[in-house]
């Protein structure tokens, strides 16, 4: 059975609540799709109004981050239970900006992945290499290490239901995009890694996105690759072009 494509917008630190609601209204008819799962991953302050704004549509809501503890004295953090109660279905874990700016390591991210599953959320686990790592020729080794570390103790059944997003750090917000061949190579390597750690059926089931300056111009070519099951979209998710990315096959 073919894997269903999933296109998720990562709004990052953009959109006030009122702006978020207006964007949902603008995109509503543009992102309608019977064959692509559509997700808006939004800032925490936007979650409640966006959940309300997308009711009755084909859009699901995701969070951009969460903490692994259930509750307690963790000022500024948000728990998985809070997200679920607010209507969130997905959560981005390990985005390169979290790894880099906020020094989140694989031990922490492994805890977050497990907590997301425990709460009933679907993780969108990010991985990716720097330009220096690519130039050193260690991209695939680095990605395999991230995947293996972040999924320690995670079951095959859980992995089959999650989303993995390959985001070359050098292509995020830079306007640069990995070539179709580069993106496919790494996404296939991720799938091969899952097959090695788990089994072929799990590898065949897990959905793997490409992220990194995805646009209406390159979405169709990227998503046509055998191991790329959609995109994690940054800047282009904040404008009408996001509808063209969702409708890449039209």
């Amino acid at each position: 059975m073919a894997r269903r494509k999933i296109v998720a917008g990562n709004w990052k630190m953009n959109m006030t609540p009122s702006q978020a609601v207006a964007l949902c209204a603008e995109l509503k008819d543009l992102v309608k799709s019977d064959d692509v799962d559509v997700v808006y991953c939004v800032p925490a302050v936007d979650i409640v109004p966006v959940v309300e704004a997308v009711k009755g549509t084909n859009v699901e809501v995701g969070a951009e981050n969460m903490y692994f503890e259930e509750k307690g004295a963790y000022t500024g953090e948000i728990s998985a239970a809070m997200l679920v109660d607010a209507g969130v279905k997905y959560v981005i874990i390990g985005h390169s900006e979290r790894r880099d700016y906020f020094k989140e390591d694989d031990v922490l991210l492994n805890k977050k992945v497990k907590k997301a599953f425990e709460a009933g959320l679907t993780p969108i686990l990010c991985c990716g290499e720097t330009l220096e790592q690519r130039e050193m020729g260690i991209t695939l080794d680095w990605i395999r290490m991230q995947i293996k570390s972040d999924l320690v103790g995670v079951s095959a059944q859980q992995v089959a239901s999650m989303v993995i997003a390959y985001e070359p750090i050098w292509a995020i917000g830079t306007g640069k995009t990995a070539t179709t061949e580069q993106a496919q190579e790494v996404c296939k390597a991720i799938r091969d890694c899952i097959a090695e750690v788990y089994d072929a059926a799990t590898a065949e089931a897990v959905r793997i996105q490409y992220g990194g300056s995805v646009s209406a111009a390159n979405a169709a070519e990227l998503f046509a690759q055998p191991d790329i099951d959609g995109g994690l979209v940054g800047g282009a998710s904040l404008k009408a072009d996001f509808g063209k990315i969702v409708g890449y096959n039209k």
Side-chain angles (χ1 to χ4, degrees):
M1 182 181 296
R3 292 178 298 273
R4 184 176 170 87
K5 291 289 193 284
I6 177 168
V7 176
N10 176 17
W11 291 9
K12 306 191 180 184
M13 198 175 73
N14 294 293
M15 297 286 142
T16 65
S18 59
Q19 290 171 335
V21 171
L23 181 61
C24 289
E26 179 186 356
L27 294 177
K28 182 178 178 180
D29 292 332
L30 302 177
V31 299
K32 285 182 178 177
S33 177
D34 293 327
D35 48 22
V36 176
D37 288 341
V38 181
V39 184
Y40 298 162
C41 296
V42 307
V45 71
D46 294 341
I47 288 171
V48 172
V50 169
V51 166
E52 187 64 30
V54 300
K55 279 184 178 175
T57 75
N58 59 303
V59 176
E60 298 284 8
V61 179
E64 297 179 14
N65 187 33
M66 50 158 264
Y67 198 50
F68 65 85
E69 293 287 1
E70 193 70 25
K71 59 183 178 180
Y74 306 102
T75 300
E77 293 294 337
I78 296 174
S79 73
M82 292 173 181
L83 297 179
V84 170
D85 194 59
V88 169
K89 303 295 184 184
Y90 293 82
V91 58
I92 297 174
I93 293 176
H95 192 280
S96 64
E97 290 157 4
R98 299 296 312 176
R99 293 176 186 260
D100 185 15
Y101 305 156
F102 304 101
K103 309 307 175 189
E104 295 190 358
D105 62 20
D106 291 307
V107 174
L108 172 67
L109 299 176
N110 178 243
K111 292 178 180 178
K112 289 188 176 188
V113 170
K114 291 176 177 175
K115 177 55 72 171
F117 276 122
E118 182 184 313
L121 292 166
T122 298
I124 300 176
L125 175 64
C126 299
C127 59
E129 84 284 10
T130 64
L131 183 59
E132 292 75 16
Q133 288 164 335
R134 175 161 283 277
E135 291 176 342
M136 289 168 62
I138 62 171
T139 292
L140 300 187
D141 291 332
W142 179 258
I143 299 295
R144 284 168 56 85
M145 183 192 72
Q146 287 183 316
I147 295 298
K148 288 185 175 184
S149 300
D150 296 342
L151 296 181
V152 169
V154 179
S155 73
Q157 182 179 7
Q158 289 172 326
V159 172
S161 71
M162 71 184 296
V163 180
I164 298 174
Y166 166 54
E167 292 204 313
I169 295 169
W170 49 271
I172 297 174
T174 62
K176 297 179 181 179
T177 309
T179 65
T180 302
E181 293 74 22
Q182 288 172 326
Q184 163 60 20
E185 178 190 30
V186 178
C187 289
K188 182 180 186 301
I190 293 170
R191 203 173 302 284
D192 290 345
C193 181
I194 297 297
E196 176 188 321
V197 175
Y198 295 95
D199 52 56
T202 303
E204 184 62 27
V206 65
R207 294 191 288 180
I208 302 174
Q209 298 175 312
Y210 170 74
S213 299
V214 176
S215 69
N218 60 30
E221 184 178 346
L222 285 165
F223 299 173
Q225 301 308 301
D227 291 292
I228 300 178
D229 304 314
L232 183 58
V233 184
S237 69
L238 299 172
K239 48 193 177 184
D241 265 9
F242 190 60
K244 296 178 182 177
I245 297 172
V246 171
Y248 72 96
N249 56 355
K250 293 180 181 177

